[in-house]
Amino acid sequence: MISRTDTVPAGVDLQERYIKVFSSQDRTVSFSNQFAAGRLNHVTQENDSTFLLSIVPENKPVNPSPWYAFKVSASKPCRIYVKLFYDGFKHRYNPKIKSSTSQWREIGAVQLSKSKDTALARLEAGPDTLTVAAQEIITSKDSYKWMASLAAKPFIKSQRAGKSLMGKPVTVLHTSGSNGKRLVVVLSRQHPPEVTGYMAMQEFVETVTGDSDLARRFREQYELIVFPMMNPDGVDEGHWRHSAAGVDLNRDWEFFRQPEVRAVKDFLSRRTRRNAKVIFAIDFHSTFYDVFYTNSDTLNTNLPGFTNKWLNAFERAIPGFRPNVKPSGNGGNVSKSWMMRELKANALTYEVGDDTPRDLLKEKGRVAAEKMMELLLR
């Protein structure tokens, strides 16, 4: 169990993550959660080919986003059936699968129980271990590697803004070349399973830090600040929603009790105290379909009305795309609200659809960055 500190609120009962291998009765089939982002709590064999896999959240109450990730292998090729059982929660993510020689792919149709708390899937198991997960697995190690590749560019600096409850770096990337007075801020992975938002964020950042004439001109006038992996503990522990403290980080932007959120707040506050202004801030998340959660007040900002102009340009650039915009009050304890209240930023949460085709979500990430740069350079 994680040691209780002042960052673990009283009354939070964290579910211990048992790291083990589960084997069939005849030892020919095995399941494992022994890897970063693994989430498999128990296995019960129902017959010679059917296994009930219990998937339990890190603690409750929790957003109903059941994350699972496990490896399965068999001593010889065989067909097995797995029942993903969420014990009162509803199925959200259809399984994705990869082998040692293949890329991630959809597993195909699953059969849901009437209450949708159980999903039945068929697997072709064998000696080549299969990895099965709710979404593509992108661990903190993968993210740090991606950050390092960006930081190899001479105009990008990487530094540790703070550390997580379990001691992992909360890394920030930022560009040079401007006078550092006008800032664009990007956040991602506050919630562990929200992989599609992370992928769109990567495309957004790679576009702004790319070699196009637009990107080079933009970086001469604006500094990009990126926190790609805000919740490395939750990601690597296979959490459904929370940090290692059992807390939703995107509900801590008022009192800043969690070290991961404090690290971002302190970094940005130091910059704005030196007369820098956050012009635009975007926090990438994922949900069932694309949603843009905006602040109701877009006029009382460092660039009045920019959010709506950007959304309109974004819509026009992709045929058939109609942004689902949901304004909300400027109060509250999420990142976009704090950014607007305290930093006067045009800030929003971009929720990318779980099942958005990967080429389309990358296009959206690229176009979102291009339209932002074009508008801010006018």
Side-chain angles (χ1 to χ4, degrees), residues 97-105 128-131:
I97 190 170
K98 73 184 295 293
S99 69
S100 62
T101 58
S102 68
Q103 300 299 313
W104 287 103
R105 60 180 175 83
D128 185 7
T129 299
L130 300 176
T131 302

Side-chain angles (χ1 to χ4, degrees), residues 7-24:
T7 59
V8 181
V12 170
D13 185 17
L14 289 168
Q15 167 73 34
E16 186 168 3
R17 180 171 174 257
Y18 295 100
I19 311 299
K20 63 178 295 182
V21 174
F22 305 87
S23 297
S24 62

Side-chain angles (χ1 to χ4, degrees), residues 247-263:
V247 172
D248 183 337
L249 293 185
N250 204 31
R251 300 297 183 271
D252 189 44
W253 289 85
E254 188 171 6
F255 299 111
F256 299 96
R257 294 189 175 102
Q258 302 308 310
E260 299 89 348
V261 181
R262 277 202 307 273

Side-chain angles (χ1 to χ4, degrees), residues 12 115 137 222 228 306 351 360:
V12 170
S115 61
I137 294 174
Y222 293 87
F306 176 78
E351 302 265 8
L360 178 57

Side-chain angles (χ1 to χ4, degrees), residues 326-346:
K326 294 188 176 181
S328 58
N330 305 320
N333 50 5
V334 299
S335 65
K336 73 174 183 66
S337 300
W338 178 78
M339 298 264 191
M340 191 276 161
R341 285 197 314 268
E342 301 299 325
L343 306 182
K344 302 300 180 186
N346 291 275

Side-chain angles (χ1 to χ4, degrees), residues 17 33-40 67-70 235-238:
R17 180 171 174 257
N33 61 11
Q34 294 181 317
F35 57 96
R39 170 63 50 167
L40 172 62
W67 169 267
Y68 54 89
F70 58 89
V235 167
D236 290 347
E237 292 298 300

